[in-house]
């Protein structure tokens, strides 16, 4: 099983260093000065952007690996289809081979039956009979025999000639047998050809089966790597999301501080206006009592609208 570390090394992916992450505590958020918070927001933003880039690169690598997985699965499926197609052809040739072998067996059985009917397998051959007749005739011509022996010898020769004639007659009737043997051998030969195709196609089917298994194995390995890369993506994306959430929290806190400062400034301005108004009313009262006002006093009266 592949590990995250192996995937990082194999695909040249930048490892995420936890030490580079930026932390934000509640105390930092609530009690940190505006300057400190602005600095922390910048750190969170920069780290968030780094992590988003890291997550993007890991997602791209993961998608590439998933695409390669699909390619290997498609390749395995192609080998599966080719294997099944070849196995169908193997079965067709097997059926034809078995059918022809059965037909050949029936024909050879007929050959044996016909041989038995003709009795070609029993007794002496034509050549043996002819040789024996020749030997007996030579003996008759060269030896001096009495009447009894001469008669027995002639009977033997006649018997041999009769058997020879029967044998030759049977041989003359074997044309049907020869045709039957030839047909049986042709059928057997055709069956052998189908058997050869069975062997060839079965070997090819096995090759595609082996390639299918290998492609599925490679797909599983790449899928494991893709899964690990996805885990790395999730790791970086979750860290980026956390930094973004903290960045948003700091921005919100800064807006709160800005609002508070603005409210304090407004209160200060209102207080100052009230003081100016009270001072102007005092000056105006002096003016009504006939006192002479200097330029500065006149300007204060104009500013408050009393003049």
């Amino acid at each position: 099983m592949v590990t995250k570390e192996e995937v990082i090394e194999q695909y040249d992916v930048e490892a995420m260093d936890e030490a580079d992450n930026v932390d934000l505590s509640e105390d930092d958020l609530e009690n940190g000065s505006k300057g400190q918070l602005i600095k922390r927001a910048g750190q969170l933003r920069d780290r968030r952007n780094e992590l988003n880039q890291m997550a993007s690169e890991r997602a791209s690598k993961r998608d590439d690996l998933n695409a390669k997985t699909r390619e290997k699965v498609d390749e395995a499926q192609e080998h599966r289809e080719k294997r099944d197609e070849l196995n169908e052809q193997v079965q067709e040739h097997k059926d034809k081979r078995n059918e022809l072998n059965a037909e050949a067996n029936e024909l050879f059985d007929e050959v044996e039956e016909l041989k038995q009917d003709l009795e070609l397998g029993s007794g002496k051959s034509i050549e043996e009979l002819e040789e024996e007749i020749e030997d007996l005739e030579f003996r008759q011509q060269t030896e001096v025999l009495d009447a009894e022996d001469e008669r027995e010898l002639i009977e033997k020769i006649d018997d041999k000639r009769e058997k020879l004639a029967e044998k030759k007659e049977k041989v003359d009737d074997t044309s049907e047998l020869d045709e039957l043997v030839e047909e049986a051998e042709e059928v057997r030969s055709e069956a052998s050809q189908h058997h050869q195709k069975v062997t060839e196609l079965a070997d090819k089917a096995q090759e595609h089966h082996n390639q299918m298994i290998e492609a599925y194995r490679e797909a599983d390995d790449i899928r494991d790597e893709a899964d690990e890369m996805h885990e790395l993506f999730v790791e970086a994306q979750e860290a980026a999301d956390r930094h973004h959430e903290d960045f948003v929290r700091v921005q919100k806190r800064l807006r709160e501080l800005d609002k508070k400062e603005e409210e304090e400034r407004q209160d200060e301005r209102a207080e100052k206006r009230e003081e100016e108004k009270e001072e102007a009313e005092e000056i105006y009262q002096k003016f009504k009592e006939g006192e002479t006002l200097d330029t500065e006093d006149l300007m204060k009266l104009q500013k408050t609208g009393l003049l």
Side-chain angles (χ1 to χ4, degrees):
M1 187 69 177
V2 67
T3 65
K4 290 181 181 179
E5 291 73 17
E6 290 172 338
V7 169
I8 288 173
E9 182 178 358
Q10 180 176 352
Y11 292 97
D12 193 25
V13 177
E14 180 184 356
M16 190 179 77
D17 189 348
E18 295 286 344
D20 293 334
N21 291 341
V22 180
D23 294 324
L24 177 68
S25 67
E26 289 300 321
D27 184 63
D28 293 334
L29 188 64
E30 295 299 325
N31 301 319
S33 67
K34 187 174 181 181
Q36 291 172 329
L37 290 172
I38 290 173
K39 180 179 180 181
R40 186 61 56 87
Q43 293 172 337
L44 288 166
R45 181 195 62 235
D46 293 344
R47 183 56 178 166
R48 177 202 64 189
N49 293 343
E50 291 175 0
L51 290 167
N52 275 330
Q53 179 63 29
M54 186 181 297
S56 177
E57 292 174 356
R58 294 177 175 188
S60 178
K61 297 278 189 181
R62 176 204 61 197
D63 293 344
D64 289 343
L65 288 168
N66 281 330
K68 290 180 180 179
T69 299
R70 287 191 293 272
E71 288 176 3
K72 282 296 177 183
V73 170
D74 290 342
E75 179 184 336
Q77 187 61 30
E78 289 176 4
H79 285 300
R80 177 192 292 274
E81 292 173 359
K82 188 62 179 177
R83 179 205 63 184
D84 293 346
E85 178 185 337
L86 288 166
N87 280 334
E88 288 180 4
Q89 295 178 30
V90 166
Q91 190 58 49
E92 290 173 2
H93 284 285
K94 275 186 177 180
D95 292 343
K96 190 62 179 177
R97 178 200 63 189
N98 295 341
E99 177 186 336
L100 289 167
N101 276 330
E103 183 181 347
N105 289 338
E106 290 179 2
L107 289 170
F108 278 117
D109 288 343
E110 291 181 26
V111 167
E112 291 302 318
E113 290 176 4
L114 189 55
K115 280 184 177 181
Q116 290 176 6
D117 291 342
L118 295 174
E119 296 183 351
L120 292 178
S122 62
K124 296 180 180 180
S125 67
I126 292 175
E127 291 76 9
E128 290 175 327
L129 290 171
E130 288 178 336
E131 185 177 346
E132 289 180 359
I133 291 170
E134 186 180 347
D135 290 342
L136 290 172
E137 288 177 340
F138 179 77
R139 180 183 173 191
Q140 182 185 20
Q141 295 170 4
T142 59
E143 292 183 10
V144 178
L145 302 171
D146 57 27
E148 183 64 25
D149 291 337
E150 179 78 17
R151 186 181 59 77
E152 290 179 2
L153 184 58
I154 291 172
E155 288 178 357
K156 285 183 179 180
I157 292 173
D158 290 340
D159 182 60
K160 296 288 184 183
R161 284 176 177 169
E162 184 178 344
K163 290 180 179 179
L164 176 61
E166 291 175 357
K167 181 69 72 172
K168 284 183 177 182
E169 184 179 354
K170 289 181 179 180
V171 170
D172 290 339
D173 292 335
T174 59
S175 57
E176 180 185 354
L177 176 64
D178 293 339
E179 292 176 1
L180 195 59
V181 170
E182 183 179 355
E183 182 183 358
E185 289 176 346
E186 287 177 357
V187 173
R188 183 76 80 193
S189 176
E190 188 177 352
S192 296
Q193 292 173 11
H194 283 284
H195 178 71
Q196 184 176 355
K197 290 297 294 183
V198 166
T199 302
E200 292 174 0
L201 293 171
D203 288 343
K204 290 181 181 179
Q206 186 62 45
E207 288 177 8
H208 283 285
H209 177 76
N210 294 340
Q211 290 172 324
M212 178 197 72
I213 296 300
E214 179 62 19
Y216 275 131
R217 186 194 64 76
E218 291 178 7
D220 288 340
D221 290 344
I222 298 173
R223 186 182 292 108
D224 288 342
E225 293 172 356
D227 290 343
E228 290 298 337
M229 189 65 73
H230 179 69
E231 291 296 324
L232 291 169
F233 157 74
V234 171
E235 177 185 62
Q237 192 61 61
E238 288 180 347
D241 292 343
R242 180 177 63 78
H243 281 73
H244 178 70
E245 290 169 2
D246 286 346
F247 171 74
V248 170
R249 291 171 65 202
V250 173
Q251 291 292 92
K252 180 180 178 181
R253 178 59 178 162
L254 286 171
R255 286 194 295 272
E256 291 173 353
L257 292 176
D258 286 342
K259 183 179 180 181
K260 182 178 180 180
E261 288 179 354
E262 179 60 25
E263 290 174 350
E264 289 175 351
R265 285 193 294 269
Q266 288 178 356
D267 290 344
E268 289 175 359
R269 286 194 294 268
E271 184 178 350
K272 185 177 181 182
R273 283 195 300 270
E274 185 64 28
E275 291 174 355
E276 290 175 346
K277 183 178 179 181
E278 290 176 359
E279 184 182 3
E281 287 176 349
E282 291 177 0
I283 294 172
Y284 184 69
Q285 187 62 36
K286 291 179 182 180
F287 173 71
K288 287 194 301 181
E289 292 174 356
E291 293 186 14
T292 302
L293 302 179
D294 57 21
T295 302
E296 183 177 353
D297 289 338
L298 291 172
M299 291 180 65
K300 289 179 179 179
L301 289 175
Q302 288 178 340
K303 185 176 180 182
T304 57
L306 294 178
L307 185 61

